[in-house]
Amino acid sequence: MNILKLFHQAARAHPQRPALLSGATLLHDHAGWLQQVQLRAGWLRSQGLQPGDRVLLCMANRPQYLELLYAALWAGLAVVPVNTKLHAREVEFIVGHCGARLLVSDHLAELGAPHGVPGLDVHALPPVQGLEPLPLQHREGDDLAWLFYTSGTTGRPKGAMLTHANLLAMTLSYRSDVEPVQPDDVYVYAAPISHGAGLYTFAYAASAARHVVPQSGGFDAAELLDLSATLDRVCLFAAPTMVSRLVDEAARRGTARHGLRSVIYGGGPMYVADITRALQTLGPHFAQIYGQGETPMTITCMTRREVAEAWRGGDGRIPEGEARRLPDEHRLASVGRAHSVVEVQVVDGQGRPCAPGVAGEVLVRGPTVMRGYWGDDAATAAALREGWLHTGDIGAFDAQGFLTLLDRSKDLIISGGSNIYPREVEEVLLEHAGVVAASVIGAPDPEWGEKVVAFIVEGGAGASDAELDALCLARMARFKRPKEYRRLPSLPKNHNGKILKTRLRELYAQAPTGNPG
């Protein structure tokens, strides 16, 4: 079943409901949006695109993004939404790797025409007048719908193949486990459509809810609170750094009505102090999810009620005995319980399930788990074993089934909700003639959750911070650039020659504001 059938049914049943807004300005009701999608899908097919072809979308949030995303899926195409902050060289790799047939962007001049793929400037979309509307194209559940590129430990991104069945299971799980969607809800795309915010679009489309793209094209705390007060019942997905900025703005405003219904946070570590402050400032409007691109948004979750109860201690107090068994801070630090559509287990190094309180690797299986990695059988075989997705995350369950993440075995850095793998940064740093060794870690950052810190060993004439910054900006996305450089005479290694990142973290903790050693 094509995932867009949910949108089709809801739009036909409720044609006069408002559908798509730019800020507070209505652009289409559901009848009008449905027509736009059908006509734009017909135009895509008229360009020679066939079901299963990949369309790469690289742009900031805008109404046309949703129009094209829906149209491509309606036409039976597979969408490849990528982070608009990626460097042109990184986009070029993805275009070639997935064999995209069309590239749509709002900064096409910077990207060029990688691998000769036709490019379309979203600012100059051709009119749809005169085109015949395309009927909804049938897709099998195992057909590719969304190719989600996620960084790999090799430094090259991997394309997680998400099928129509994967997206349907994710959508139903969101509505049953995270948040029941009401027709008068307002879903605001404050986070990038290329990631979690875009994946949740189907849950709101199924209820003919309103979809709002901020006029800023992204996250602006003041704009978001203004929109929320105007539109009411606003729901959004947000990375922890966005939550912190929203709370700062709300605190500055004082007791002004905010109109938020639900803020679903995920995509990075949320510290207990931060979620406590958010609850104190904005009230019980926060739910949490934990997922990966390989099983989108669906490993564990904690509902608004569960987050609020952990904050308040149930009915406002912590019952006798529970404080000893499960303190509030422990529950708030967790990432919730398994979604209903998946099985989640924590296993030791031999693959045996761990007892509550014992840490191990988090494994997931169920209908939301990807089909595999595009064009990478070896990576697929490593990640999917005996039906289980090996996440590479280390965690532990408590006796009530709440999962707490303890570490990330792949050394993933999550900064501002974006994934950064150290090796891809290290490889760029090593291109400088004055760098003979480099190792990158993530360090706590009050604004971004984590920041990139690079430890380098210099040789020859050495390398200044400015030179390294310039190299990084020329070779990769800006958000991956190290925020600090630390010089060492040598990198700590074990007897096998492996760099000890645990030691680097200790060195940073000992001297967080200056050069260690």
Side-chain angles (χ1 to χ4, degrees), residues 267-337:
M270 175 67 87
Y271 299 110
V272 171
D274 292 334
I275 187 59
T276 298
R277 180 168 177 256
L279 291 159
Q280 290 170 339
T281 304
L282 290 167
H285 299 285
F286 295 87
Q288 180 175 201
I289 63 94
Y290 157 54
Q292 293 185 336
E294 292 83 351
T295 177
M297 319 296 278
T298 41
I299 298 179
T300 63
C301 62
M302 192 152 53
T303 65
R304 282 186 293 145
R305 179 177 178 178
E306 289 171 329
V307 172
E309 287 180 349
W311 170 43
R312 294 168 175 163
D315 59 357
R317 61 184 180 84
I318 303 174
E320 185 178 354
E322 179 141 344
R324 293 190 299 273
R325 186 173 70 253
L326 188 66
D328 274 0
E329 287 196 358
H330 176 85
R331 180 64 56 85
L332 284 173
S334 80
V335 290
R337 294 183 286 193

Coordinates of all heavy atoms in Angstrom, one line a residue, residues 267-337:
G267 N 16.5 12.7 19.0 CA 17.6 13.1 18.1 C 18.9 13.4 18.8 O 19.9 13.8 18.2
G268 N 18.9 13.3 20.2 CA 20.1 13.6 20.9 C 19.8 13.5 22.4 O 18.7 13.3 22.8
P269 N 20.9 13.5 23.2 CA 20.7 13.4 24.7 C 19.9 14.6 25.3 O 20.3 15.7 25.0 CB 22.1 13.3 25.2 CG 23.0 13.9 24.2 CD 22.3 13.7 22.9
M270 N 18.9 14.3 26.1 CA 18.2 15.4 26.8 C 18.6 15.2 28.3 O 18.2 14.2 28.9 CB 16.7 15.3 26.6 CG 15.9 16.2 27.5 SD 16.1 18.0 27.0 CE 14.9 18.1 25.7
Y271 N 19.3 16.2 28.8 CA 19.7 16.1 30.2 C 18.5 16.4 31.1 O 17.6 17.1 30.8 CB 20.8 17.1 30.4 CG 22.1 16.8 29.6 CD1 22.4 17.7 28.6 CD2 22.8 15.7 29.8 CE1 23.5 17.4 27.8 CE2 23.9 15.4 29.0 CZ 24.3 16.3 28.0 OH 25.4 16.0 27.2
V272 N 18.6 15.8 32.3 CA 17.5 15.9 33.3 C 17.2 17.3 33.6 O 16.0 17.8 33.7 CB 17.8 15.0 34.5 CG1 16.7 15.3 35.6 CG2 17.8 13.5 34.2
A273 N 18.2 18.1 33.8 CA 18.1 19.5 34.2 C 17.3 20.3 33.1 O 16.5 21.1 33.4 CB 19.4 20.1 34.5
D274 N 17.6 19.9 31.8 CA 17.0 20.6 30.7 C 15.5 20.3 30.6 O 14.6 21.2 30.4 CB 17.7 20.3 29.4 CG 19.1 20.9 29.4 OD1 19.3 21.9 30.1 OD2 20.0 20.3 28.7
I275 N 15.1 19.0 30.7 CA 13.7 18.6 30.6 C 12.9 19.1 31.8 O 11.8 19.5 31.7 CB 13.5 17.1 30.3 CG1 12.1 16.8 30.0 CG2 14.0 16.3 31.5 CD1 11.5 17.5 28.8
T276 N 13.6 19.1 33.0 CA 12.9 19.6 34.2 C 12.6 21.1 34.0 O 11.5 21.6 34.3 CB 13.8 19.4 35.4 OG1 14.0 18.0 35.6 CG2 13.1 20.0 36.6
R277 N 13.5 21.9 33.5 CA 13.3 23.3 33.3 C 12.2 23.5 32.2 O 11.4 24.4 32.3 CB 14.6 24.0 32.8 CG 14.5 25.5 32.6 CD 15.8 26.1 32.4 NE 15.7 27.5 32.1 CZ 15.9 28.1 30.9 NH1 16.3 27.3 29.9 NH2 15.7 29.4 30.7
A278 N 12.2 22.7 31.2 CA 11.2 22.8 30.1 C 9.8 22.6 30.7 O 8.8 23.3 30.4 CB 11.5 21.8 29.0
L279 N 9.7 21.6 31.5 CA 8.4 21.3 32.1 C 7.9 22.4 33.1 O 6.8 22.7 33.2 CB 8.5 19.9 32.9 CG 8.6 18.7 32.0 CD1 9.2 17.5 32.7 CD2 7.3 18.3 31.4
Q280 N 8.9 22.9 33.8 CA 8.5 24.0 34.8 C 8.1 25.2 34.0 O 7.2 26.0 34.5 CB 9.8 24.3 35.6 CG 10.1 23.2 36.7 CD 11.4 23.4 37.3 OE1 12.3 24.1 36.8 NE2 11.6 22.8 38.5
T281 N 8.7 25.5 32.9 CA 8.4 26.7 32.1 C 7.2 26.6 31.3 O 6.4 27.5 31.2 CB 9.6 27.1 31.3 OG1 10.8 27.2 32.1 CG2 9.4 28.4 30.5
L282 N 7.0 25.5 30.6 CA 6.0 25.4 29.6 C 4.9 24.4 30.0 O 3.8 24.3 29.3 CB 6.5 25.0 28.2 CG 7.4 26.1 27.5 CD1 8.2 25.5 26.4 CD2 6.5 27.2 27.1
G283 N 5.1 23.6 31.0 CA 4.1 22.7 31.5 C 4.2 21.3 30.8 O 5.2 21.0 30.1
P284 N 3.3 20.4 31.1 CA 3.4 19.0 30.7 C 3.0 18.7 29.2 O 2.1 18.0 28.9 CB 2.4 18.3 31.6 CG 1.3 19.3 31.8 CD 2.0 20.6 31.9
H285 N 3.8 19.3 28.4 CA 3.6 19.2 26.9 C 4.7 18.5 26.2 O 4.8 18.6 25.0 CB 3.4 20.6 26.3 CG 2.3 21.4 26.9 ND1 1.0 21.1 26.6 CD2 2.3 22.4 27.8 CE1 0.2 22.0 27.3 NE2 1.0 22.7 28.0
F286 N 5.5 17.7 26.9 CA 6.7 17.1 26.3 C 6.6 15.5 26.3 O 6.3 14.9 27.3 CB 7.9 17.5 27.1 CG 8.2 19.0 26.9 CD1 7.6 19.9 27.8 CD2 9.0 19.5 25.9 CE1 7.8 21.3 27.7 CE2 9.2 20.8 25.8 CZ 8.7 21.7 26.6
A287 N 6.9 15.0 25.1 CA 7.0 13.5 25.0 C 8.3 13.2 24.4 O 8.9 14.1 23.7 CB 5.8 12.9 24.1
Q288 N 8.8 12.0 24.6 CA 10.2 11.7 24.1 C 10.1 10.5 23.2 O 9.3 9.5 23.4 CB 11.1 11.4 25.2 CG 12.5 11.0 24.8 CD 13.5 10.9 25.9 OE1 14.7 11.0 25.7 NE2 13.0 10.7 27.1
I289 N 11.0 10.5 22.1 CA 11.1 9.3 21.3 C 12.6 9.0 21.2 O 13.5 9.9 21.3 CB 10.5 9.4 19.9 CG1 11.1 10.5 19.1 CG2 9.0 9.6 20.1 CD1 12.2 10.1 18.2
Y290 N 12.9 7.7 20.9 CA 14.3 7.3 20.6 C 14.2 6.4 19.4 O 13.4 5.4 19.4 CB 14.9 6.6 21.8 CG 16.1 5.6 21.5 CD1 17.2 6.0 20.7 CD2 16.0 4.3 21.9 CE1 18.2 5.1 20.4 CE2 17.1 3.4 21.6 CZ 18.1 3.8 20.9 OH 19.2 3.0 20.6
G291 N 14.9 6.7 18.4 CA 14.9 5.9 17.2 C 16.2 6.1 16.4 O 17.1 6.8 16.8
Q292 N 16.3 5.5 15.2 CA 17.4 5.6 14.3 C 16.9 5.7 12.9 O 15.7 5.3 12.7 CB 18.4 4.5 14.4 CG 19.2 4.4 15.7 CD 20.2 3.3 15.7 OE1 20.2 2.4 15.0 NE2 21.2 3.5 16.6
G293 N 17.7 6.2 12.0 CA 17.2 6.2 10.6 C 16.9 4.8 10.1 O 16.0 4.6 9.2
E294 N 17.5 3.8 10.7 CA 17.3 2.4 10.3 C 16.0 1.8 10.8 O 15.5 0.8 10.3 CB 18.5 1.5 10.8 CG 19.8 1.8 10.1 CD 20.6 2.9 10.7 OE1 20.0 3.7 11.5 OE2 21.8 3.1 10.3
T295 N 15.4 2.4 11.8 CA 14.1 2.1 12.3 C 13.4 3.4 12.7 O 13.5 3.8 13.9 CB 14.1 1.1 13.4 OG1 12.8 0.8 13.9 CG2 15.0 1.4 14.6
P296 N 12.9 4.2 11.8 CA 12.6 5.6 12.0 C 11.7 5.9 13.1 O 10.6 5.5 13.2 CB 12.0 6.0 10.6 CG 11.4 4.8 10.1 CD 12.4 3.7 10.5
M297 N 12.3 6.6 14.1 CA 11.5 7.2 15.2 C 10.9 6.2 16.1 O 10.0 6.5 16.9 CB 10.4 8.2 14.7 CG 10.9 9.1 13.5 SD 12.2 10.2 13.9 CE 11.2 11.5 14.7
T298 N 11.2 4.9 15.9 CA 10.4 3.9 16.6 C 11.3 2.8 17.2 O 11.5 1.7 16.7 CB 9.5 3.2 15.6 OG1 10.2 3.0 14.4 CG2 8.2 4.0 15.4
I299 N 11.9 3.2 18.4 CA 12.5 2.1 19.2 C 11.8 2.2 20.6 O 11.1 1.3 21.0 CB 14.1 2.3 19.4 CG1 14.8 2.2 18.0 CG2 14.6 1.3 20.3 CD1 16.3 2.4 18.0
T300 N 11.9 3.3 21.2 CA 11.2 3.5 22.5 C 10.6 4.9 22.5 O 10.9 5.8 21.7 CB 12.2 3.4 23.7 OG1 13.1 4.5 23.6 CG2 12.9 2.1 23.8
C301 N 9.6 5.1 23.4 CA 9.0 6.4 23.6 C 8.5 6.6 25.0 O 8.3 5.6 25.7 CB 7.9 6.6 22.6 SG 6.5 5.4 22.8
M302 N 8.3 7.8 25.4 CA 7.7 8.2 26.7 C 6.7 9.2 26.4 O 7.0 10.3 25.9 CB 8.8 8.6 27.6 CG 8.3 8.7 29.1 SD 9.7 8.5 30.3 CE 10.9 9.7 29.7
T303 N 5.4 8.9 26.7 CA 4.3 9.8 26.4 C 4.4 11.1 27.3 O 5.1 11.2 28.3 CB 3.0 9.1 26.7 OG1 2.8 8.9 28.1 CG2 2.9 7.8 25.9
R304 N 3.5 12.1 26.9 CA 3.5 13.3 27.7 C 3.1 13.0 29.1 O 3.6 13.5 30.1 CB 2.4 14.2 27.1 CG 2.9 15.0 25.9 CD 1.8 16.0 25.5 NE 0.6 15.4 25.0 CZ -0.6 15.8 25.2 NH1 -0.8 16.9 25.9 NH2 -1.7 15.2 24.7
R305 N 2.2 12.0 29.3 CA 1.7 11.7 30.7 C 2.9 11.0 31.5 O 3.1 11.4 32.6 CB 0.5 10.7 30.6 CG 0.0 10.3 32.0 CD -1.2 9.4 31.8 NE -1.6 8.9 33.2 CZ -2.7 8.2 33.4 NH1 -3.4 7.8 32.3 NH2 -3.0 7.8 34.6
E306 N 3.6 10.1 30.8 CA 4.7 9.5 31.5 C 5.8 10.5 31.9 O 6.4 10.4 33.0 CB 5.3 8.4 30.7 CG 4.3 7.2 30.6 CD 4.8 6.1 29.6 OE1 5.4 6.5 28.5 OE2 4.5 4.9 29.8
V307 N 6.1 11.4 31.0 CA 7.1 12.4 31.3 C 6.6 13.3 32.5 O 7.4 13.6 33.4 CB 7.4 13.3 30.1 CG1 8.3 14.5 30.4 CG2 8.1 12.5 29.0
A308 N 5.4 13.7 32.4 CA 4.8 14.5 33.5 C 4.8 13.8 34.8 O 5.1 14.4 35.9 CB 3.4 15.0 33.1
E309 N 4.5 12.5 34.8 CA 4.4 11.8 36.0 C 5.8 11.6 36.6 O 6.0 11.6 37.8 CB 3.7 10.4 35.8 CG 2.2 10.5 35.6 CD 1.6 9.1 35.4 OE1 2.3 8.2 35.1 OE2 0.4 9.1 35.4
A310 N 6.8 11.4 35.7 CA 8.2 11.3 36.2 C 8.6 12.6 36.8 O 9.3 12.6 37.8 CB 9.1 10.9 35.1
W311 N 8.2 13.7 36.3 CA 8.5 15.0 36.8 C 7.8 15.3 38.1 O 8.5 15.7 39.1 CB 8.1 16.0 35.8 CG 8.2 17.5 36.2 CD1 9.1 18.1 36.9 CD2 7.2 18.5 35.9 NE1 8.9 19.4 37.1 CE2 7.7 19.7 36.5 CE3 6.0 18.5 35.2 CZ2 6.9 20.9 36.4 CZ3 5.3 19.7 35.1 CH2 5.7 20.8 35.7
R312 N 6.6 14.9 38.2 CA 5.8 15.2 39.4 C 5.8 14.1 40.5 O 5.4 14.3 41.6 CB 4.3 15.5 39.0 CG 4.2 16.7 38.2 CD 2.7 16.7 37.6 NE 2.5 17.9 36.9 CZ 1.5 18.1 36.0 NH1 0.7 17.0 35.8 NH2 1.3 19.2 35.4
G313 N 6.3 12.9 40.0 CA 6.2 11.8 41.0 C 4.8 11.2 41.0 O 4.2 11.1 42.0
G314 N 4.2 10.9 39.8 CA 2.9 10.4 39.7 C 1.8 11.4 39.9 O 1.6 12.3 39.1
D315 N 1.1 11.4 41.0 CA 0.0 12.3 41.2 C 0.5 13.6 42.0 O -0.3 14.2 42.7 CB -1.1 11.7 42.0 CG -0.7 11.1 43.4 OD1 0.5 11.2 43.7 OD2 -1.5 10.6 44.1
G316 N 1.7 13.9 41.9 CA 2.3 15.1 42.5 C 3.2 14.7 43.7 O 3.8 15.6 44.3
R317 N 3.3 13.4 44.0 CA 4.2 13.0 45.1 C 4.7 11.6 44.6 O 4.2 11.0 43.7 CB 3.4 12.8 46.4 CG 2.3 11.8 46.4 CD 1.6 11.7 47.7 NE 0.5 10.8 47.6 CZ 0.7 9.5 47.8 NH1 1.9 9.0 48.1 NH2 -0.4 8.6 47.7
I318 N 5.8 11.2 45.2 CA 6.4 9.9 44.9 C 5.9 8.9 46.0 O 6.2 9.1 47.2 CB 7.9 10.0 44.9 CG1 8.4 11.0 43.9 CG2 8.5 8.6 44.6 CD1 9.9 11.2 43.9
P319 N 5.1 7.9 45.6 CA 4.6 7.0 46.6 C 5.8 6.3 47.4 O 6.9 6.1 46.9 CB 3.9 5.9 45.8 CG 3.6 6.6 44.5 CD 4.7 7.6 44.3
E320 N 5.5 6.0 48.6 CA 6.5 5.4 49.5 C 7.0 4.1 48.8 O 6.2 3.3 48.3 CB 5.9 5.0 50.8 CG 6.9 4.5 51.8 CD 6.4 4.3 53.2 OE1 5.2 4.6 53.4 OE2 7.1 3.7 54.0
G321 N 8.3 3.9 48.8 CA 8.9 2.8 48.2 C 9.3 3.0 46.7 O 10.4 2.6 46.3
E322 N 8.5 3.8 46.0 CA 8.9 4.0 44.6 C 10.1 4.9 44.5 O 10.9 4.8 43.6 CB 7.8 4.7 43.8 CG 8.1 5.0 42.4 CD 7.0 4.7 41.4 OE1 6.1 4.0 41.8 OE2 7.1 5.2 40.3
A323 N 10.3 5.9 45.4 CA 11.4 6.8 45.4 C 12.7 6.0 45.5 O 13.7 6.3 44.9 CB 11.3 7.8 46.6
R324 N 12.7 4.9 46.3 CA 13.9 4.0 46.4 C 14.1 3.2 45.1 O 15.2 3.0 44.7 CB 13.8 3.1 47.6 CG 13.8 3.9 48.9 CD 13.9 2.9 50.1 NE 12.8 2.0 50.2 CZ 11.7 2.2 50.8 NH1 11.5 3.4 51.4 NH2 10.7 1.3 50.8
R325 N 13.0 2.8 44.5 CA 13.1 1.9 43.4 C 13.4 2.6 42.1 O 14.2 2.2 41.3 CB 11.8 1.1 43.2 CG 11.9 0.0 42.2 CD 10.7 -0.9 42.1 NE 9.5 -0.2 41.6 CZ 8.5 0.2 42.4 NH1 8.5 -0.1 43.7 NH2 7.4 0.8 41.9
L326 N 12.7 3.7 41.9 CA 12.9 4.5 40.6 C 12.7 6.0 40.9 O 11.7 6.5 40.8 CB 11.8 4.0 39.6 CG 11.9 4.5 38.2 CD1 13.2 4.0 37.6 CD2 10.7 4.1 37.4
P327 N 13.8 6.7 41.2 CA 13.7 8.1 41.4 C 13.2 8.8 40.2 O 13.4 8.3 39.1 CB 15.2 8.5 41.8 CG 15.8 7.2 42.2 CD 15.1 6.1 41.4
D328 N 12.7 10.0 40.4 CA 12.2 10.8 39.2 C 13.3 11.0 38.2 O 13.1 10.9 37.0 CB 11.8 12.2 39.8 CG 10.3 12.2 40.2 OD1 9.7 11.1 40.1 OD2 9.8 13.2 40.6
E329 N 14.5 11.4 38.7 CA 15.6 11.7 37.8 C 16.0 10.5 36.9 O 16.3 10.6 35.7 CB 16.8 12.2 38.5 CG 16.7 13.6 39.1 CD 18.0 14.2 39.5 OE1 19.0 13.5 39.4 OE2 18.0 15.3 39.9
H330 N 15.9 9.3 37.4 CA 16.1 8.1 36.7 C 15.1 8.0 35.5 O 15.5 7.7 34.4 CB 16.1 6.8 37.6 CG 16.3 5.6 36.8 ND1 17.5 5.1 36.5 CD2 15.4 4.7 36.2 CE1 17.4 3.9 35.8 NE2 16.1 3.7 35.6
R331 N 13.9 8.1 35.8 CA 12.8 8.0 34.8 C 13.0 9.1 33.8 O 12.9 8.8 32.6 CB 11.5 8.1 35.5 CG 10.3 7.9 34.5 CD 10.2 6.6 33.8 NE 10.2 5.5 34.7 CZ 9.1 4.9 35.3 NH1 7.9 5.5 35.1 NH2 9.2 3.9 36.0
L332 N 13.2 10.3 34.2 CA 13.3 11.4 33.2 C 14.6 11.2 32.4 O 14.6 11.7 31.2 CB 13.4 12.8 34.0 CG 12.1 13.3 34.5 CD1 12.4 14.6 35.3 CD2 11.2 13.6 33.4
A333 N 15.6 10.6 32.9 CA 16.8 10.3 32.1 C 16.7 9.2 31.1 O 17.5 9.0 30.2 CB 18.0 10.1 33.0
S334 N 15.6 8.4 31.2 CA 15.4 7.3 30.3 C 14.8 7.8 29.0 O 14.5 8.9 28.8 CB 14.4 6.3 31.0 OG 13.1 6.7 30.8
V335 N 14.8 6.8 28.0 CA 14.2 7.2 26.7 C 12.8 6.4 26.6 O 12.3 6.3 25.4 CB 15.1 6.8 25.6 CG1 16.3 7.8 25.6 CG2 15.6 5.4 25.6
G336 N 12.3 5.9 27.7 CA 11.0 5.3 27.6 C 11.0 3.8 27.4 O 12.0 3.1 27.5
R337 N 9.8 3.4 27.0 CA 9.5 1.9 26.8 C 9.4 1.6 25.3 O 9.1 2.5 24.5 CB 8.3 1.5 27.6 CG 8.5 1.6 29.1 CD 7.2 1.1 29.8 NE 6.1 2.0 29.7 CZ 5.0 1.9 30.5 NH1 5.0 0.9 31.4 NH2 4.1 2.8 30.4

